[in-house]
Amino acid sequence: PASRRMVLAVPTSGGKTLIAQVIAVAELARSDKSVCFVVPTRSLGREVRRAMSARVRILEKSVAPEKPDFPSWWDALDLSIPDQQPADVEVMTPERLSHLLRQDSNAVLDRFGMFIFDEAQLLKERGRGFVLESLIASLNVLTADREHRIALISAAMGNAGAISQWLSPSQTALVHQSEWRGPR
C-alpha cells in the first residue's frame, strides 16, 4: 500500500492482468477515487472491462462503458444525465487518456487515484510508444507531489529496473520480475 509506483514484468500467462485487477480493486476499497486502466487496443479494453465488472461488483462499484478515443460533435451537446456519478473504473486507450489530460488535467487527477498501464512494453515501439511514454512521463510529473499511484504491467519488459528508476528516481518503486508461467 505504501508504493506509489509499480512495475510488474511477468511473462504471458503469468497472471499479470489478474494482479492488475486485484491492485485496482484494492485501490477502490481503500480510496474514494476512480481507477484508470490504460490498454493499447479497444479489443483488449473490452476484455478488461468485462473482467473488471465482475471483480468490482462485490464492492458495489461500476465500470464505465466503452467510449470513443476522441469526442464527436454529439459530445459537444452534453446530453449526459445530471447528477450521474462517474464510474469507479474506466478502461481507455493511451490516446483517450492523453486527450483527456490535454483538455483538463486537473479534472483527470481529481477523478482518478490510480493509473494502470497494461502492455507497458509498448514503450519501445515506434509511433505509439512515444504517445505512451509521454503520457506516463506527464502523469509522473503531474502526480509527483500527490498520492496518485502508477502501475506498469508488462509481459516483455527487459528493463523493468530502469523503468522503475525513471518512474521514481527519488524513491524506491515496487518492481517485480518473474519468469514463472502459469499452466496452459
Side-chain angles (χ1 to χ4, degrees):
S3 297
R4 292 183 44 237
R5 303 296 190 252
M6 296 172 252
V7 178
L8 176 65
V10 178
T12 302
S13 299
K16 309 179 292 306
T17 304
L18 176 61
I19 291 171
Q21 292 169 5
V22 169
I23 291 169
V25 169
E27 180 70 15
L28 290 173
R30 72 165 204 80
S31 172
D32 60 341
K33 292 193 178 230
S34 298
V35 172
C36 179
F37 208 113
V38 182
V39 295
T41 62
R42 295 174 68 80
S43 60
L44 180 56
R46 283 188 284 277
E47 290 177 34
V48 169
R49 200 173 288 107
R50 190 172 27 253
M52 284 301 298
S53 293
R55 304 248 184 261
V56 300
R57 188 175 304 132
I58 194 154
L59 295 175
E60 297 180 357
K61 304 284 186 175
S62 63
V63 176
E66 185 173 356
K67 296 178 184 172
D69 286 343
F70 301 101
S72 68
W73 61 274
W74 282 101
D75 295 323
L77 297 176
D78 192 21
L79 300 174
S80 61
I81 301 168
D83 300 323
Q84 183 178 2
Q85 291 291 339
D88 301 294
V89 176
E90 189 160 345
V91 182
M92 63 183 74
T93 62
E95 289 81 6
R96 176 167 169 71
L97 179 56
S98 183
H99 173 75
L100 293 174
L101 282 170
R102 283 192 307 271
Q103 297 305 309
D104 189 352
S105 61
N106 287 328
V108 171
L109 296 179
D110 288 344
R111 178 170 176 213
F112 298 110
M114 177 173 229
F115 298 90
I116 298 173
F117 291 87
D118 200 358
E119 304 294 336
Q121 73 272 7
L122 295 176
L123 281 166
K124 67 181 179 195
E125 297 290 319
R126 296 185 77 173
R128 290 188 79 200
F130 175 76
V131 172
L132 185 59
E133 182 178 346
S134 61
L135 176 59
I136 293 168
S138 295
L139 277 173
N140 203 28
V141 169
L142 289 169
T143 63
D145 59 346
R146 299 180 182 211
E147 292 300 314
H148 291 77
R149 297 173 190 279
I150 298 175
L152 305 183
I153 312 297
S154 172
M157 186 178 291
N159 58 346
I163 296 294
S164 69
Q165 185 64 33
W166 169 63
L167 275 178
S168 189
S170 61
Q171 306 173 38
T172 303
L174 179 62
V175 180
H176 179 73
Q177 288 182 279
S178 174
E179 297 302 317
W180 181 84
R181 286 179 170 256
R184 299 258 178 221

